[in-house]
């Protein structure tokens, strides 16, 4: 599912970055570009990142 329409980032990509070693929303954002355009996806993308980091 697309989380960030502007940058074409999916929830799967976010989880993948966390399993590849990203440990913060900032790292995920820098790696994917998620939430760097309109910003509407930021809350949802952050919560996906937080859940993925807790599970990691
Ligand atoms: Fe993510 Fe616009 S939907 S920056």
């Amino acid at each position: 599912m697309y989380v960030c329409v502007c940058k074409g980032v999916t929830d799967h990509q976010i989880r993948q970055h966390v399993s590849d070693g990203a440990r913060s929303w900032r790292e995920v954002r820098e790696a994917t570009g998620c939430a760097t355009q309109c910003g509407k996806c930021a809350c949802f993308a952050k919560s996906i990142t937080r859940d993925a980091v807790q599970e990691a």
Side-chain angles (χ1 to χ4, degrees):
M1 163 188 75
Y2 280 104
V3 174
C4 179
V5 178
C6 295
K7 296 292 180 177
V9 182
T10 63
D11 60 329
H12 178 77
Q13 280 172 278
I14 292 175
R15 290 199 185 90
Q16 188 64 51
H17 278 289
V18 173
S19 60
D20 288 348
R23 283 295 169 266
S24 66
W25 161 239
R26 190 171 58 84
E27 286 175 73
V28 170
R29 191 187 57 203
E30 282 169 6
T32 61
C34 187
T36 57
Q37 204 162 320
C38 77
K40 281 187 186 144
C41 57
C43 267
F44 188 37
K46 268 187 219 174
S47 86
I48 292 171
T49 302
R50 196 173 46 232
D51 289 351
V53 168
Q54 276 169 5
E55 285 161 19

